[in-house]
Amino acid sequence: MAKDSRSTLVSLAVNPVTLLGVVLTTTGGVLWLILTALEIFDTVNNPYVGILLFGLLPAIFFAGLALIPIGIWWRRRQMAAAGRRVEPLAINWQNPAWRKLVIVFTVATVANLIIGSSFLLAGVHYMESNNFCGAACHVMYPENAQYRISPHSNVDCVACHVDEGLGGFIQAKTNGTLQLIHTVFNSYPKPVPTPVHNLPPVEHMCLKCHSVNQNYGSQVIVRKGFAEDDGAATATVLNMHVGGGANNKGAHGAHLNAVTMEYASDEKREKIAWVRMRRADGSVREYATPDWNAGKRTGLETRTMSCVDCHNRAAHSFESPERALNQAMVLGRIDHTLPGIRKRGIELLKATYASHEVARQQISTHLADYYVKNHPAVAKDRAKQMDQAAAALYDIYSRNVWPQYNLTWGSRVNHLGHNDSPGCFRCHGGDLTSADGLQITQDCSVCHEAVSMDEKNPEILKTLGLAQQK
Ligand code: HEC
Ligand code: HEC
Ligand code: HEC
Ligand code: HEC
Ligand code: HEC
């Protein structure tokens, strides 16, 4: 034998493809180790580092790994084609050089396996992080912005969006991959479509933390604000009947206690044509629109009613301009004594801007212009309050309206209520009747006592001791 097999392998390995493979693998591996260390010590906090760590670097690493044998194989073919004698890569344990090579190879493979599998594990873990779902994936910025100010801001996205078990895992990963491809090619529908068709069943979602057996009784909801004409303090006060558990009154009492409700609607669930209520005692009652009864049923889907048919905005509760502005004024972020601020504020919030940046500038200049023109004394003496108001208005605008994703006021309907969208009135609105002529109730007080509706300084606030509170 002219040369031993090891040097044959070495000479085979010295080819551009294999060398490129070695360089890629080492670069990918080393950069990954460094970035991982930085991540562990929390020095970088950027969602794109995640994509680099769990997307790009592993791709480089594995591509390099694959190139190494490809290069060797290619070189062998080349040499054979050139008529050069290629020694078979026979293992010869007697040869110390061979033994060394095998040990080096084994150690390298084990190291690669460890690095490779931690890539995979970390990648899977990262893809379940809120950073990946909400921050690296652009089209979900709006959902993420609302999520962060929702009561569920500490609940991971995957707790609600990914079902338990292997099925949910595989579904989430295939969806996630498709979504990632859409995002990379910027081909994602904007805004992201709702309803989410593959939301887990509520038993695996909301009911991990909440219970249908809880009696919430009646709850006083107080929404304060300021009148548009004279800026006087106003309040809407509802005594909302929620019930549930042993209490079969109210929204939970009527809908969750031993009742199954199915309904048929358009895909967006905004127009409901038929409802069937089945009680535990077996009694059934159906309500339908005249169209449904006349057999016009195309394009309708049937679903079983659950938590998210009312609480569809539990984690992403986009606001209405009026309610958001009232809240900012009640909290003092916008000085309610600025003359005309409520009317002008709503106009500025509802205006159309090309982007967030344009909105930020124009809200500020248009508000200033308004005061210079109509209330010069305010413009002169209360510049600070004006700036604060402009900043707060921009804040409201930018978390609710996203021109780049075609998302504006009202794009995301909230089914809990009936003021900004039909909500409860999709069924309770009087369009549906039963065969014996009954309607689903529209009686205000069955759902809530409307104690005060935008009344100025209502007496009830003093009675409840809430007049001075935010
Ligand atoms: C408490 C449960 C919950 C959590 C936590 C949650 N979501 Fe949602 N999400 C929902 C529900 C419910 C819907 C509406 C489903 C429907 O109407 O079909 C939804 C809808 C969406 C939609 C569709 C667009 C829309 O607004 O209807 C996106 C995108 C989304 N969520 C992303 C996220 C991201 C990103 C996170 C984490 C930052 C997250 N969600 C956390 C429950 C949740
Ligand atoms: C991981 C646990 C968890 C999950 C999952 C969860 N919630 Fe909650 N939810 C909470 C907690 C805790 C609160 C109380 C938060 C607070 O008051 O600060 C809450 C509050 C609420 C509230 C009251 C909100 C308010 O404005 O006071 C509603 C309604 C609600 N959840 C509905 C849902 C629905 C619907 C789902 C399923 C889509 C869901 N939750 C999933 C833990 C959870
Ligand atoms: C028919 C509509 C409807 C359905 C279905 C429904 N809810 Fe509610 N829920 C309400 C209304 C109305 C309130 C009163 C709060 C409000 O108006 O803001 C409420 C209140 C709540 C609250 C807050 C109670 C509190 O402490 O103030 C929680 C938590 C909640 N619901 C969870 C759920 C869960 C979990 C489910 C599914 C098992 C569910 N709801 C199904 C209408 C509904
Ligand atoms: C999918 C249709 C549907 C939607 C949406 C819906 N309901 Fe209902 N609701 C019904 C039906 C059906 C009944 C039972 C009527 C009967 O007793 O025959 C009912 C009954 C009730 C009752 C008891 C009425 C009574 O006479 O005792 C209350 C309270 C109630 N709903 C509250 C709500 C609230 C609050 C919402 C919105 C957050 C809502 N519902 C949304 C279909 C719906
Ligand atoms: C099927 C149940 C139901 C019926 C019937 C009903 N409401 Fe409501 N109403 C609700 C729910 C749920 C909300 C939302 C509470 C919330 O925002 O948390 C609401 C909210 C309101 C609000 C507050 C709006 C806001 O922006 O804060 C007013 C005012 C109101 N209802 C008045 C009425 C009046 C008046 C009637 C009778 C003509 C009526 N409602 C009938 C369920 C009902």
Side-chain angles (χ1 to χ4, degrees):
M1 218 189 267
K3 289 181 182 172
D4 66 44
S5 314
R6 185 185 68 121
S7 43
T8 305
L9 190 64
V10 169
S11 70
L12 283 175
V14 183
N15 73 71
V17 178
T18 301
L19 289 182
L20 180 69
V22 172
V23 171
L24 288 183
T25 307
T26 338
T27 319
V30 169
L31 278 181
W32 186 80
L33 283 176
I34 294 173
L35 269 181
T36 306
L38 290 178
E39 270 271 301
I40 289 170
F41 295 113
D42 231 12
T43 30
V44 277
N45 201 350
N46 178 334
Y48 294 100
V49 170
I51 291 194
L52 207 65
L53 264 179
F54 309 119
L56 201 62
L57 294 182
I60 293 179
F61 178 85
F62 286 116
L65 220 53
L67 283 180
I68 295 174
I70 291 178
I72 293 177
W73 168 82
W74 171 70
R75 180 93 182 140
R76 260 178 80 93
R77 270 189 49 158
Q78 238 188 5
M79 284 169 70
R84 286 165 63 186
R85 215 172 88 84
V86 186
E87 293 292 334
L89 296 176
I91 296 177
N92 178 2
W93 277 111
Q94 286 359 89
N95 185 338
W98 242 115
R99 282 207 298 273
K100 222 155 103 195
L101 183 77
V102 169
I103 290 169
V104 169
F105 182 76
T106 314
V107 170
T109 305
V110 169
N112 281 341
L113 275 179
I114 292 174
I115 295 185
S117 52
S118 38
F119 271 155
L120 287 177
L121 269 182
V124 166
H125 187 72
Y126 174 65
M127 284 206 264
E128 291 187 346
S129 74
N130 294 347
N131 229 351
F132 177 76
C133 306
C137 184
H138 299 214
V139 283
M140 294 191 190
Y141 279 1
E143 274 66 37
N144 196 34
Q146 291 296 335
Y147 160 85
R148 278 191 265 120
I149 54 167
S150 88
H152 296 104
S153 55
N154 284 335
V155 179
D156 288 341
C157 316
V158 290
C160 290
H161 283 285
V162 176
D163 203 353
E164 294 161 350
L166 191 63
F169 177 83
I170 292 171
Q171 191 188 40
K173 293 303 160 235
T174 32
N175 276 339
T177 311
L178 286 175
Q179 281 163 7
L180 203 62
I181 294 171
H182 272 308
T183 309
V184 169
F185 290 103
N186 199 19
S187 62
Y188 213 87
K190 298 182 187 113
V192 178
T194 197
V196 181
H197 280 290
N198 31 33
L199 224 50
V202 289
E203 290 76 16
H204 298 174
M205 187 171 50
C206 319
L207 299 186
K208 282 192 287 203
C209 303
H210 296 286
S211 161
V212 285
N213 300 322
Q214 175 70 20
N215 171 14
Y216 289 109
S218 296
Q219 307 207 341
V220 179
I221 295 178
V222 179
R223 297 232 165 85
K224 295 190 178 181
F226 295 92
E228 199 173 287
D229 51 1
D230 59 357
T234 61
T236 293
V237 180
L238 302 174
N239 187 21
M240 177 70 64
H241 306 307
V242 187
N247 179 351
N248 60 8
K249 279 187 70 178
H252 283 200
H255 283 270
L256 302 180
N257 280 7
V259 212
T260 310
M261 282 199 200
E262 288 163 288
Y263 69 87
S265 73
D266 63 331
E267 196 225 348
K268 290 182 90 72
R269 287 185 251 149
E270 282 165 24
K271 291 193 188 69
I272 293 181
W274 167 86
V275 189
R276 178 166 61 202
M277 180 181 65
R278 198 188 293 275
R279 295 194 187 279
D281 64 13
S283 64
V284 170
R285 190 179 277 163
E286 290 189 30
Y287 296 88
T289 59
D291 273 357
W292 173 276
N293 289 331
K296 291 187 198 156
R297 300 177 185 183
T298 39
L300 299 178
E301 298 173 3
T302 306
R303 297 169 54 100
T304 303
M305 196 173 174
S306 77
C307 316
V308 292
D309 288 302
C310 295
H311 299 286
N312 65 326
R313 296 277 140 221
H316 321 286
S317 61
F318 293 83
E319 299 146 290
S320 71
E322 291 80 9
R323 194 181 278 185
L325 183 65
N326 272 342
Q327 208 177 10
M329 294 202 294
V330 169
L331 292 173
R333 290 183 186 157
I334 294 177
D335 185 340
H336 71 271
T337 64
L338 282 171
I341 186 65
R342 189 165 190 284
K343 184 160 184 291
R344 191 67 193 129
I346 299 278
E347 284 165 11
L348 288 173
L349 285 175
K350 286 187 176 170
T352 308
Y353 308 97
S355 68
H356 278 177
E357 190 45 36
V358 172
R360 200 176 56 77
Q361 290 164 6
Q362 292 198 352
I363 288 175
S364 168
T365 50
H366 289 176
L367 192 66
D369 289 350
Y370 167 79
Y371 282 110
V372 168
K373 207 166 144 219
N374 300 288
H375 305 277
V378 172
K380 201 159 126 281
D381 304 334
R382 300 176 69 185
K384 190 167 158 252
Q385 283 98 321
M386 257 166 42
D387 288 348
Q388 269 173 359
L393 285 172
Y394 170 68
D395 206 37
I396 295 173
Y397 174 87
S398 63
R399 65 173 186 254
N400 285 289
V401 182
W402 299 76
Q404 65 272 51
Y405 307 124
N406 305 324
L407 205 92
T408 184
W409 301 110
S411 299
R412 300 286 194 220
V413 293
N414 187 342
H415 296 319
L416 192 75
H418 50 80
N419 291 70
D420 302 323
S421 65
C424 313
F425 282 18
R426 290 171 299 162
C427 291
H428 287 264
D431 305 336
L432 301 160
T433 41
S434 67
D436 46 356
L438 292 174
Q439 284 193 347
I440 307 173
T441 188
Q442 273 179 283
D443 182 348
C444 320
S445 62
V446 171
C447 294
H448 55 63
E449 255 76 47
V451 187
S452 158
M453 293 199 279
D454 277 335
E455 251 175 73
K456 290 181 187 173
N457 303 310
E459 206 48 42
I460 180 75
L461 286 191
K462 285 184 210 120
T463 314
L464 293 171
L466 298 174
Q468 303 304 323
Q469 288 172 28
K470 283 184 176 169

